[in-house]
Amino acid sequence: MPILVGHATAKGSTRGIAEHIATGLDRAGEVVDFRPLADVTSVREYETLVVGSAIHNGQWLTEATAWVERLGPALTGRALWAYSVSSVGATSTILSPRLARYLRRVTPEPRAVQTLRSTADVRDHRSFAGAIAPGDWPGFGRIVFRVMGGRYGDARDWNDIDNWVAAIRADVVRDRR
Ligand SMILES: Cc1cc2nc3c(=O)[nH]c(=O)nc-3n(C[C@H](O)[C@H](O)[C@H](O)COP(=O)(O)O)c2cc1C
């Protein structure tokens, strides 16, 4: 059975992470279905799903949240690995390190992930830092971004993502036995 690697992205950094996850699983010998969540209309053929979204205003993107609401009930008992891509990852950040430490402590899980926990067998939810370019954050948000010590650039921690992929793969192999 293929593993679904699904994503929702606004500016592309989440798609890049999803591609990296899909490539890692593929190299390890898994059959992978790499797709934008908006294109996934059924989960019947997946026993394992790796599903994530960029974060806007603390939540998964609208299409990812809609996907969870639509297909959540069909995910009962399926192994699911969730990831969120924002300014602050578990191991890297595009904000100031001090603010990132604070935000890691106080930021609640996105509602879509909480919803997933009520149906799917959520094995883990991982936060990754993404990337941001001038102009990505519109209007007043740009000023807030600067005040928060934000620096334009790419903060994706590929090592952390590789380690997560290895954990998923080990889990898939364990389940198969
Ligand atoms: C409109 C907008 C709102 C955002 N809101 C948040 C937020 O609430 N928290 C956060 O940590 N990052 C926030 N970000 C930063 C993005 O999550 C980050 O740049 C991520 O890498 C975007 O992923 P993407 O390139 O796949 O769209 C926001 C970015 C934009 C453009």
Side-chain angles (χ1 to χ4, degrees):
M1 273 187 160
I3 298 174
L4 174 70
V5 178
H7 68 277
T9 186
K11 302 285 180 185
S13 63
T14 306
R15 181 173 49 243
I17 288 173
E19 275 165 3
H20 198 81
I21 294 169
T23 304
L25 289 170
D26 176 69
R27 285 206 182 119
E30 299 296 333
V31 179
V32 176
D33 209 351
F34 170 81
R35 290 160 79 178
L37 282 177
D39 292 354
V40 178
T41 53
S42 163
V43 291
R44 220 171 305 139
E45 61 184 305
Y46 309 116
E47 282 297 332
T48 304
L49 302 92
V50 186
V51 169
S53 173
I55 293 286
H56 277 188
N57 306 318
Q59 302 300 329
W60 277 18
L61 297 182
T62 311
E63 66 262 36
T65 301
W67 183 86
V68 169
E69 275 159 19
R70 203 168 57 244
L71 289 175
L75 290 167
T76 306
R78 288 167 207 264
L80 189 142
W81 299 70
Y83 61 97
S84 298
V85 180
S86 71
S87 307
V88 181
T91 57
S92 63
T93 182
I94 51 184
L95 302 181
S96 79
R98 193 155 164 234
L99 181 59
R101 272 196 300 276
Y102 170 73
L103 289 173
R104 281 185 195 110
R105 266 194 288 118
V106 301
T107 305
E109 224 170 43
R111 279 190 297 276
V113 177
Q114 295 174 31
T115 303
L116 284 170
R117 287 188 189 282
S118 67
T119 55
D121 176 8
V122 177
R123 304 279 168 99
D124 192 21
H125 168 235
R126 187 88 184 150
S127 294
F128 298 119
I132 193 145
D136 280 1
W137 218 316
F140 183 64
R142 196 172 321 166
I143 299 165
V144 175
F145 177 69
R146 282 300 196 188
V147 169
M148 291 190 296
R151 298 242 179 113
Y152 296 117
D154 190 342
R156 289 174 289 183
D157 180 348
W158 301 112
N159 269 337
D160 186 41
I161 297 163
D162 284 338
N163 290 340
W164 199 61
V165 170
I168 295 172
R169 160 81 173 145
D171 201 64
V172 168
V173 170
R174 234 184 345 257
D175 274 359
R176 214 171 270 145
R177 287 204 199 108

